[in-house]
Amino acid sequence: NASALEPGNISIGTDAGFNQIAGSIQNTFIGNGAGAAVTDGTYNTIIGWHAGVSLIDGSSNTLVGTDAGASLDGGENSNTMVGHLAGSLTDGGNTNTFIGTNSGLNNATGGNNVCVGNYAGHNFTDGNDNVCIGPESLFDVISTSSANIAIGHGAGPTVASGGSSAQNSTISIGEDAGHYSYIGPVDNTVDNSIYIGSYATVPTDGQSQLSRFVLGGGRDGGVNSASKLLMYGGVEDVSE
């Protein structure tokens, strides 16, 4: 099937762009089922088996890869999802960038997130304004976790089995930076904390670690020893 209802539309593949109506312009659908539900969407580029298969009237989305953006089902706009299952469960989120296999996989309604790397930002569901760059970066933060920055393989706090706290406004730079600051199973948090350096971490011991600044590298049994920390302390509020 190769068709174009309106000038500027390209549809190649079984059921690709099958439901377009007048007003649907400048879309590119390539792959079996790609953009199959789109009716009057505009400026979308959807390539891959079942990529954007449920999108109806969204605009300016770029979805590339098998099942990329497969759950977008309304008027979602300006999402870029590239990679197998990238942003596959997003249903309502806008202006997200997920690049890499399984990146942003479990995001549902979160918006303005940027996750680059395989499995980057894998588990948050409704968080906003997160930046995660590197394979498995910000992999373990959950639910509404927002405004986190994680750069490096595996960077970002970890929510242990049974943990339920969203983590907000953390900065983790370096391989596994902050990763061994376990959150859970009690309801604790590392909000507003900064971890810089490979494996830069202090154990939470089941307690909240608000506003921590950790600089240093190395690990012993999954957490830093005191001898390997260059700096560890609190971040004082000096806003007044």
Side-chain angles (χ1 to χ4, degrees), residues 79 90 92-96 98 107-113 124-128:
N79 291 291
T90 300
N94 295 294
T95 60
N96 293 293
F98 298 135
N107 181 57
T109 61
N112 301 310
N113 298 292
F124 65 77
T125 56
D126 304 298
N128 301 299

Side-chain angles (χ1 to χ4, degrees), residues 160-176:
S161 177
S164 60
S165 296
Q167 304 308 308
N168 303 296
S169 304
T170 66
I171 298 174
S172 306
I173 300 176
E175 182 181 2
D176 281 327

Side-chain angles (χ1 to χ4, degrees), residues 41-54:
T42 57
Y43 313 114
N44 295 292
T45 300
I46 302 177
I47 301 174
W49 187 85
H50 276 205
V53 66
S54 300

Side-chain angles (χ1 to χ4, degrees), residues 99-105 117-123 134-139:
I99 299 177
T101 298
N102 286 291
S103 60
L105 173 65
N118 292 348
Y119 293 91
H122 183 268
N123 284 323
E136 299 181 3
S137 56
L138 220 60
F139 179 92

Side-chain angles (χ1 to χ4, degrees), residues 127-138:
N128 301 299
D129 305 309
N130 294 293
V131 176
C132 38
I133 299 175
E136 299 181 3
S137 56
L138 220 60

Side-chain angles (χ1 to χ4, degrees), residues 157-158 164-168 170 181-193 195 202-214 232-235:
T158 294
S164 60
S165 296
Q167 304 308 308
N168 303 296
T170 66
S181 291
Y182 291 104
I183 298 94
V186 297
D187 194 24
N188 55 25
T189 182
V190 294
D191 285 3
N192 306 312
S193 292
Y195 305 93
V202 292
T204 61
D205 295 326
Q207 302 299 317
S208 293
Q209 293 283 331
L210 286 169
S211 303
R212 293 290 139 192
F213 178 76
V214 181
Y232 168 58
V235 180

